[in-house]
């Protein structure tokens, strides 16, 4: 079988690596000269909306999917007219617009922080009076890893914040004083079967995810599962989806969805019976879904900027190394590691050995 993937980043690379044992070959459409996924499959270089590139991309494949949400909706719609495609353009369009996304959450009775759409400095001033300060101004489109976001703490900062986001359509959200950040990752089949992974606790620095720890038996597991199931069914989403939440006063507040495999689920490669990547491949190709059970305690840590030396990482017991083949650059995710152990105390000891090598 063949799977065509929009995008050639590390998520595409890991999808292809998970597909190989299933005898599935992957190919990628990406405008970059040497995307890191090219090491794991065929790279078709071209713009996502280039007709000739799209024709080559979908030729003789069994399904089309995408590895990140900034692919043009029109490109996914075009591919879907030619080849079975999942997730669909509906999921993509929703995730690309924060206002549409938050409205969907409210329509599905999923709690969100107070928010208002903003399209001018005047609207921002009015929104600040409605939502209150502090608040977070976020661009409606193309924000990730903390980009396109500004925290506003006083009226004096409104004009500078509006300039910082490029004076483009935004949403203003009330600042959430949260106890922790968590994500729920699940996969949905074409036949409406949904399987969920354990709720995962996440730690961010400067808007970038640093580490993720799966929580077996968390009290909010069922609530998060139900919220994600409602969203997936409302969008008729097939494949993996991640739902990020804030936990405030012991309850979940929706932050955002990612209609794809997600960084906070990288631990599933080594820590779950069937990884999010394999389950996504299974779902979009119509194969039976795999077991999402946690195998043993683990924690995933991102390598940001540069990858530590392999010889140093390999000396830590229970460590699994995942380098993406990307050049070093400040703020760039160049790889991740997963620390595994049989017990929680052992996991803490091994994690302490990693701390001098990676800022987690």
């Amino acid at each position: 079988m063949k799977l065509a993937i929009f995008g050639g980043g590390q998520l595409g690379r890991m999808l292809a690596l998970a597909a190989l044992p299933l005898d599935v070959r992957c190919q990628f459409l990406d405008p970059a000269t040497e995307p890191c996924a090219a090491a794991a499959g065929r790279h078709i270089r071209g713009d996502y909306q280039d007709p000739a590139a799209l024709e080559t991309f979908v030729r003789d494949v069994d399904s089309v999917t995408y590895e990140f949400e900034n692919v043009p909706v029109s490109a996914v719609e075009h591919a879907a007219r030619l080849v079975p495609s999942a997730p669909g353009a509906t999921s993509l369009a929703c995730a690309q617009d924060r206002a549409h996304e938050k409205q969907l959450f409210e329509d599905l009775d999923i709690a969100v922080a107070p928010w208002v759409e903003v399209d001018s400095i005047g609207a921002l001033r009015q929104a600040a009076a409605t939502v209150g300060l502090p608040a977070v101004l976020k661009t409606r489109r193309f924000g990730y890893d903390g980009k396109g976001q500004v925290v506003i703490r006083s009226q004096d900062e409104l004009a500078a914040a509006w300039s910082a986001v490029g004076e483009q359509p935004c949403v203003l959200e009330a600042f959430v004083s949260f106890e922790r950040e968590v994500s729920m990752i699940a996969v949905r089949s074409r036949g409406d079967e949904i399987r969920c992974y354990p709720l995962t606790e996440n730690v961010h620095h400067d808007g970038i995810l640093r580490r993720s720890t799966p929580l077996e038996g968390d009290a909010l597991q069922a609530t998060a599962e139900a919220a994600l199931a409602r969203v997936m069914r409302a969008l008729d989403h097939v494949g993996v989806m991640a739902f990020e939440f804030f936990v405030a006063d012991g309850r979940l507040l929706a932050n955002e969805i990612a209609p794809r495999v997600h960084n906070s689920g990288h631990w599933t490669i080594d820590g779950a019976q069937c990884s999010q990547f394999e389950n996504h491949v299974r779902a979009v190709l119509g194969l039976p879904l795999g077991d999402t059970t946690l195998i043993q305690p683990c924690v995933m840590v991102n390598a940001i900027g540069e990858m530590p030396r392999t010889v140093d990482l390999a000396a830590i017991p229970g460590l699994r190394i995942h380098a993406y083949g990307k050049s070093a650059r400040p703020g760039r995710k160049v790889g991740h590691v997963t620390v595994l152990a049989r017990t929680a105390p052992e996991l803490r000891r091994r994690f302490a050995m990693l701390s001098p090598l990676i800022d987690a």
Side-chain angles (χ1 to χ4, degrees):
M1 301 179 79
K2 288 185 179 180
L3 177 62
I5 303 172
F6 281 105
Q10 65 262 25
L11 299 180
R13 178 189 178 108
M14 287 182 272
L15 282 168
L17 292 174
L20 278 172
L22 303 177
D23 198 24
V24 175
R25 298 298 186 268
C26 294
Q27 58 189 41
F28 314 93
L29 178 60
D30 194 292
T33 304
E34 294 183 39
C36 69
R42 180 190 180 195
H43 171 218
I44 300 165
R45 188 184 180 195
D47 186 85
Y48 296 121
Q49 298 185 91
D50 177 70
L54 281 169
E55 182 181 348
T56 303
F57 177 59
V58 301
R59 187 182 301 145
D60 299 324
V61 301
D62 297 282
S63 186
V64 174
T65 190
Y66 45 85
E67 61 121 28
F68 75 122
E69 58 266 49
N70 287 343
V71 178
V73 170
S74 60
V76 174
E77 290 174 333
H78 177 80
R81 288 193 289 269
L82 304 173
V83 179
S85 180
T90 304
S91 296
L92 191 65
C94 179
Q96 285 182 355
D97 190 318
R98 293 186 190 278
H100 292 172
E101 187 179 55
K102 291 184 180 302
Q103 188 60 59
L104 175 66
F105 299 159
E106 291 188 334
D107 291 344
L108 296 174
D109 294 323
I110 299 170
V112 296
W115 66 281
V116 177
E117 292 183 48
V118 172
D119 58 9
S120 68
I121 184 62
L124 176 57
R125 290 193 178 97
Q126 186 174 359
T130 302
V131 170
L133 297 177
V136 186
L137 185 66
K138 299 180 179 180
T139 56
R140 283 181 59 167
R141 298 175 63 82
F142 305 123
Y144 65 95
D145 285 349
K147 297 179 177 65
Q149 301 184 23
V150 181
V151 177
I152 303 172
R153 302 188 183 279
S154 71
Q155 292 285 335
D156 295 340
E157 298 174 0
L158 292 175
W162 182 240
S163 177
V165 298
E167 300 184 357
Q168 60 182 301
C170 292
V171 296
L172 185 72
E173 303 174 19
F175 185 86
V176 177
S177 180
F178 57 84
E179 295 135 29
R180 54 191 177 124
E181 295 178 273
V182 297
S183 58
M184 170 56 59
I185 294 172
V187 58
R188 180 173 179 262
S189 72
R190 296 185 185 275
D192 193 38
E193 180 187 6
I194 295 177
R195 295 195 179 187
C196 299
Y197 289 93
L199 195 68
T200 301
E201 185 169 311
N202 304 311
V203 174
H204 294 79
H205 294 165
D206 299 323
I208 301 175
L209 180 66
R210 296 300 174 131
R211 71 176 184 268
S212 297
T213 307
L215 308 170
E216 194 166 32
D218 191 271
L220 294 172
Q221 176 81 23
T223 305
E225 287 187 8
L228 185 47
R230 291 202 294 277
V231 170
M232 294 177 91
R233 288 183 170 126
L235 297 173
D236 194 21
H237 182 94
V238 172
V240 167
M241 176 180 281
F243 200 154
E244 295 183 274
F245 300 91
F246 300 115
V247 179
D249 297 323
R251 69 187 188 109
L252 294 175
L253 284 178
N255 181 20
E256 61 186 18
I257 57 170
R260 53 165 172 81
V261 289
H262 192 259
N263 194 175
S264 68
H266 288 0
W267 65 265
T268 65
I269 299 173
D270 306 299
Q273 293 286 353
C274 182
S275 77
Q276 63 165 342
F277 298 99
E278 181 179 334
N279 257 330
H280 187 80
V281 172
R282 287 175 177 237
V284 302
L285 289 172
L287 300 172
L289 300 183
D291 188 347
T292 55
T293 303
L294 177 71
I295 297 173
Q296 61 181 320
C298 62
V299 57
M300 185 283 302
V301 180
N302 277 327
I304 308 297
E306 62 180 350
M307 197 72 186
R309 296 192 313 164
T310 300
V311 65
D312 295 328
L313 293 172
I316 300 175
L319 193 78
R320 299 291 183 268
I321 305 166
H322 299 269
Y324 303 154
K326 298 166 73 172
S327 58
R329 190 174 71 198
R332 190 182 205 186
K333 296 173 184 174
V334 295
H336 75 269
V337 298
T338 306
V339 188
L340 300 106
R342 290 165 295 183
T343 65
E346 184 179 49
L347 183 65
R348 287 193 291 271
R349 287 194 295 271
R350 291 178 174 180
F351 178 76
M353 297 173 67
L354 175 65
S355 296
L357 303 178
I358 297 181
D359 177 17

